[in-house]
Amino acid sequence: MDKFRMIFQFFQSNQESFMNGICGIMALASTQMYSAFDFNCPCLPYYNLAYGLGILLVPPFILFLLGFVLNNNISMLAEEWRRPQGRRGKDPAVLRYMFCSMAQRAMIAPAVWVSVTLLDGKCVTCAFCTSVPVDTLGNASHPRLSQGEIQRVLARIPCKEIYNGQQLIANEVAVRYLRCISQALGWCFVLLMTTLAFLVRSLRPCFSQAAFLKSRYWSHYIDIERKLFDETCTEHARSFAKVCIQQFFEGMSTDLVAAHCHLPRKAPAEAEEAAEKLLGITDQGTMNMALKSWHRCKPPLHLHPPALPTGNGWAGEGQPPTHPSAPRKETAAYYSWV
């Protein structure tokens, strides 16, 4: 039990760990869904191909979209992409990093589904049973069957209980032939996905590590800033509701006093604390204006450092101060540019 608790705490440690855990659960769920899925090939010409390819490709597309839906960063990415320019510029590299990060995680479950489906071989057997080379594996000179009848017979290969073309081609031979091709494609797909993941993980630091670190840092910053803004708004809403309720009951105090009821007075410290949490925003219109201002013109990522001396002597206007010289403390500022 302690191990599961440690794993759960690790998944909750940060956003990336949480999403990795979600993707791992989705990958396991995809295998369980396929094992529980009742595969029934229609065994009809032109329908087998649509059914087999549909089972092979449609569920991975749904799992891919579901991976985006379960990712909390999708709303943050859309908000950052669609928001006005305002006082803070939008970095396309950060947006690309966020999208690629979500796409890589969302691809895990579809890749597992495609791999399991190809290695099992039922979809390929159903979709391409009419393409079995009868000339090589069977008796293509069967005199009593036309080309259309041969297609109808081959379409029944996945349905062993209704297959009646043993004179044309043995059912076991055709199924084994298609399953071997499907398994070969499955292992090639697994090898391709593993090679791509290895190349992305190993070669990316060799070319753009500095740009990758900057994009990753600011992506984490946007996530943390959004969480802190939500927490601040929640705290303000709690304080606002508390003050509104207190004012309502204070307004009813006249009736209570008339009924000879004595109300406990609120401590001044509690009143000051509630006023501080409101941050001077005490009406609905001002709060709505603050929320719109945050969306339209977010504050720039600049913490107002002091003016720095330049090569000519002063930053800004390039002119020395006009007030008379006076003894002042000398301060040295050290800046590191990355």
Side-chain angles (χ1 to χ4, degrees):
M1 194 65 183
D2 294 337
K3 294 182 179 179
F4 287 105
R5 188 180 295 108
M6 293 175 59
I7 295 174
F8 186 71
Q9 290 176 355
F10 172 75
F11 286 156
Q12 286 187 326
S13 59
N14 54 63
Q15 182 71 11
E16 290 190 356
S17 300
F18 176 75
M19 291 313 306
N20 290 336
I22 292 294
C23 293
I25 293 174
M26 288 185 59
L28 294 176
S30 65
T31 58
Q32 294 297 322
M33 288 171 56
Y34 183 80
S35 61
F37 177 70
D38 188 13
F39 188 88
N40 292 314
C41 187
C43 296
L44 294 172
Y46 308 109
Y47 288 92
N48 288 5
L49 182 63
Y51 182 82
L53 293 182
I55 298 301
L56 179 65
L57 301 178
V58 173
F61 180 72
I62 297 175
L63 291 173
F64 180 74
L65 295 181
L66 186 61
F68 272 100
V69 171
L70 295 179
N71 198 319
N72 295 330
N73 290 339
I74 185 65
S75 58
M76 183 177 64
L77 174 62
E79 178 184 351
E80 183 68 15
W81 178 51
R82 292 296 300 171
R83 71 173 177 85
Q85 187 76 13
R87 299 173 58 193
R88 181 190 301 181
K90 293 184 285 187
D91 192 352
V94 177
L95 300 179
R96 285 194 302 268
Y97 171 82
M98 295 169 62
F99 178 79
C100 293
S101 178
M102 288 186 292
Q104 290 174 6
R105 292 184 175 90
M107 282 294 295
I108 295 177
V112 172
W113 177 277
V114 174
S115 302
V116 172
T117 304
L118 290 177
L119 292 175
D120 184 59
K122 292 180 182 178
C123 289
V124 173
T125 302
C126 179
F128 300 100
C129 57
T130 56
S131 302
V132 174
V134 181
D135 298 339
T136 306
L137 303 177
N139 183 16
S141 60
H142 201 283
R144 293 175 298 176
L145 296 177
S146 63
Q147 189 64 29
E149 292 175 341
I150 291 176
Q151 292 294 317
R152 284 193 294 271
V153 170
L154 294 178
R156 298 176 182 175
I157 289 177
C159 307
K160 188 176 181 179
E161 62 278 1
I162 63 174
Y163 181 69
N164 58 355
Q166 294 291 342
Q167 296 84 6
L168 183 64
I169 184 173
N171 181 270
E172 294 80 5
V173 174
V175 171
R176 181 167 302 208
Y177 172 78
L178 293 172
R179 183 166 293 178
C180 289
I181 294 177
S182 178
Q183 291 178 351
L185 293 175
W187 285 116
C188 291
F189 180 79
V190 173
L191 179 61
L192 177 62
M193 293 292 102
T194 306
T195 304
L196 289 177
F198 170 76
L199 292 177
V200 170
R201 289 288 185 177
S202 60
L203 296 182
R204 182 173 55 186
C206 299
F207 295 97
S208 59
Q209 182 65 9
F212 169 74
L213 289 177
K214 290 192 297 183
S215 302
R216 183 176 182 180
Y217 174 86
W218 290 115
S219 174
H220 290 176
Y221 173 83
I222 293 174
D223 184 29
I224 295 173
E225 183 187 53
R226 185 186 184 189
K227 291 179 180 178
L228 291 177
F229 184 78
D230 291 340
E231 293 175 1
T232 304
C233 290
T234 303
E235 185 66 24
H236 184 276
R238 186 183 301 274
S239 301
F240 194 88
K242 183 178 180 180
V243 172
C244 285
I245 294 173
Q246 289 174 349
Q247 289 181 356
F248 169 77
F249 281 101
E250 289 175 358
M252 299 293 294
S253 62
T254 55
D255 297 337
L256 296 176
V257 170
H260 304 287
C261 295
H262 299 283
L263 294 176
R265 303 299 298 175
K266 184 176 63 173
E270 296 181 1
E272 293 178 359
E273 182 180 358
E276 289 179 358
K277 291 182 179 180
L278 289 177
L279 302 175
I281 302 176
T282 57
D283 61 280
Q284 183 180 4
T286 306
M287 189 63 198
N288 291 339
M289 184 174 61
L291 295 175
K292 291 180 181 179
S293 177
W294 175 264
H295 172 69
R296 293 177 179 176
C297 50
K298 288 186 177 181
L301 300 177
H302 182 68
L303 299 181
H304 307 291
L308 301 178
T310 61
N312 295 328
W314 293 92
E317 299 296 332
Q319 298 294 333
T322 56
H323 56 77
S325 61
R328 62 181 182 275
K329 296 182 180 180
E330 298 290 339
T331 60
Y334 297 91
Y335 293 86
S336 174
W337 297 90
V338 180

